[in-house]
Amino acid sequence: MKKFNSSVYLYVAIAGLLIIAGLVGFHLLAPVSKGEETVYVYIDDDDTMDSVLVKLKPLTASAGMTALSTIIRHSDYGEHIRTGKYAIQPGDGPFTLFRRLKNGQQTSFNLVIPEARTMERLAAILGQKLMIDSATIADALLSEEKCRQYGYDTTTIAAMFVPNTYDVYWNMSVDKLLERMQKENEHFWQGERDAKAAKMQLTPIEVCTLASIIDEETSNNNEKPMIAGMYLNRLKANMPLQADPTIKFALKQFDLKRIWQKLLRIDSPYNTYMNEGLPPGPIKIASIKGIDAVLNAASHDYLYMCAKEDFSGTHNFATTYQEHLKNAARYTKALNERGIK
């Protein structure tokens, strides 16, 4: 009878161990992801082991999360948290995700550099896309010392940014961001563009400055080389550019629909009605189309332009001031008829 009882106890114990092992195995092998799409967890400088687990919980299935939590809590992960954007892929098990987090195997993403009008606006946009906060980015872009590290100053730093899409890591520092933008800028200009600018006796910064004005004059890319040619003619003739977008920039009133005579008296180095030559730097991050329009400017004799009275976003060009006055009169009449002030 004792022998029988011993055998029963042994079988029960073995069965219990198998059940426990099965449950443990189920949790350890259970997929962490809830669905069939990749989701991401963002871990920043302020995170602790507990806050990471809080971020992971709504993104993961309960069984896999239980195992992952156990693994994390029984490791030294809390002492070596790696910031970044981490993928949670369908089929990932707890150990797979743990190794990814522990080893800092983050996922890169496409960062779009926009054609921002001010560095404050650029900082605000990038602060929403990167781990760096917008204030840190703005402080760097508005720092003369920091800008000098990359060969610019606070009036020209916009020329370092080429609006494009870049593969970057979410947790990159502000220094890494600026180093990357400097490298991309050098790659953008090397070769044909740099040679064309030199032939025109313009620096890349000067090209970007003129391109930024042209971008603000029109969104019609086909017309940009014509406008570039006109402004280059004015520069060669030592005439003021008289570009309305520079007045808007000086006033920081970008939504102005009409530039009145009294606004042309603003005391600013960006007032191209009062000052000859180019302004101190770009009035926005110049588009690639705008830059290439300057480098491939149309050859003509036009010295004047005025927005067309049909509000198409294009312009009437003129070689003489008398012809320009006629174009301007038609546009002023159209503005008045529409009640635009």
Side-chain angles (χ1 to χ4, degrees):
M1 187 70 177
K2 289 182 179 178
K3 184 177 180 181
F4 173 77
N5 288 340
S6 297
S7 298
V8 170
Y9 292 147
L10 178 61
Y11 290 138
V12 170
I14 291 173
L17 289 173
L18 289 173
I19 291 171
I20 292 171
L23 289 172
V24 171
F26 169 75
H27 283 85
L28 290 177
L29 297 175
V32 175
S33 179
K34 272 185 173 182
E36 298 181 357
E37 295 183 1
T38 299
V39 294
Y40 300 94
V41 60
Y42 296 83
I43 300 174
D44 58 41
D45 287 324
D46 296 328
D47 275 314
T48 63
M49 179 178 67
D50 289 331
S51 66
V52 169
L53 291 173
V54 169
K55 288 182 175 181
L56 287 168
K57 189 173 182 179
L59 303 175
T60 55
S62 58
M65 183 59 201
T66 299
L68 178 61
S69 177
T70 301
I71 295 169
I72 288 177
R73 290 189 181 282
H74 287 81
S75 71
D76 64 348
Y77 175 75
E79 300 172 12
H80 306 283
I81 294 174
R82 308 283 289 273
T83 62
K85 173 187 178 182
Y86 295 94
I88 303 175
Q89 300 170 342
D92 280 348
F95 279 116
T96 298
L97 182 54
F98 171 71
R99 284 196 298 270
R100 190 173 298 145
L101 296 172
K102 182 79 164 55
N103 297 329
Q105 297 171 346
Q106 60 176 309
T107 301
S108 61
F109 78 104
N110 289 330
L111 175 68
V112 177
I113 297 296
E115 297 172 22
R117 283 188 171 124
T118 66
M119 292 302 93
E120 293 90 342
R121 179 57 183 157
L122 175 64
I125 294 171
L126 295 182
Q128 295 175 347
K129 304 292 184 181
L130 298 167
M131 189 178 80
I132 328 166
D133 64 81
S134 59
T136 300
I137 301 172
D139 287 345
L141 296 177
L142 299 175
S143 164
E144 291 290 354
E145 181 181 358
K146 179 65 71 175
C147 291
R148 277 197 299 271
Q149 292 179 21
Y150 302 95
Y152 299 85
D153 58 36
T154 55
T155 63
T156 60
I157 190 65
M160 188 175 77
F161 293 88
V162 180
N164 216 328
T165 302
Y166 303 98
D167 188 54
V168 303
Y169 288 107
W170 176 73
N171 66 343
M172 70 191 313
S173 66
V174 69
D175 286 328
K176 289 294 183 184
L177 170 66
L178 296 179
E179 287 168 10
R180 175 66 181 279
M181 293 300 100
Q182 183 186 46
K183 181 180 178 181
E184 295 292 347
N185 179 279
E186 291 171 353
H187 177 72
F188 175 81
W189 280 99
Q190 68 182 7
E192 188 176 6
R193 288 191 177 94
D194 202 26
K196 286 183 177 180
K199 188 176 180 180
M200 300 171 71
Q201 297 184 323
L202 294 173
T203 66
I205 290 176
E206 289 171 333
V207 172
C208 288
T209 300
L210 184 53
S212 70
I213 296 173
I214 294 167
D215 283 338
E216 290 291 89
E217 291 283 16
T218 184
S219 59
N220 188 314
N221 289 325
N222 292 328
E223 194 185 51
K224 287 180 180 180
M226 284 287 291
I227 299 176
M230 189 217 69
Y231 279 132
L232 288 170
N233 288 343
R234 282 185 161 246
L235 289 173
K236 291 173 186 175
N238 294 319
M239 294 175 61
L241 293 183
Q242 296 185 330
D244 288 355
T246 65
I247 302 299
K248 294 180 182 181
F249 183 84
L251 293 166
K252 293 296 186 288
Q253 296 181 28
F254 301 105
D255 58 348
L256 283 175
K257 301 297 183 183
R258 193 167 182 173
I259 304 297
W260 294 93
Q261 191 69 29
K262 63 181 180 180
L263 300 179
L264 303 182
R265 295 191 292 270
I266 181 173
D267 183 13
S268 168
Y270 290 92
N271 186 339
T272 56
Y273 279 81
M274 295 179 64
N275 304 297
E276 290 184 7
L278 292 167
I283 60 172
K284 66 180 287 288
I285 293 177
S287 71
I288 294 176
K289 290 288 187 182
I291 292 170
D292 286 341
V294 175
L295 296 175
N296 300 280
S299 179
H300 54 65
D301 296 325
Y302 295 130
L303 288 171
Y304 305 92
M305 73 173 191
C306 180
K308 285 186 177 179
E309 62 276 10
D310 61 2
F311 297 96
S312 61
T314 56
H315 297 77
N316 289 313
F317 294 87
T319 56
T320 67
Y321 186 59
Q322 290 71 25
E323 185 182 358
H324 170 66
L325 288 176
K326 293 177 182 178
N327 293 335
R330 290 200 301 272
Y331 182 61
T332 299
K333 181 174 181 289
L335 287 173
N336 292 334
E337 288 175 348
R338 294 198 179 193
I340 297 175
K341 298 181 179 179

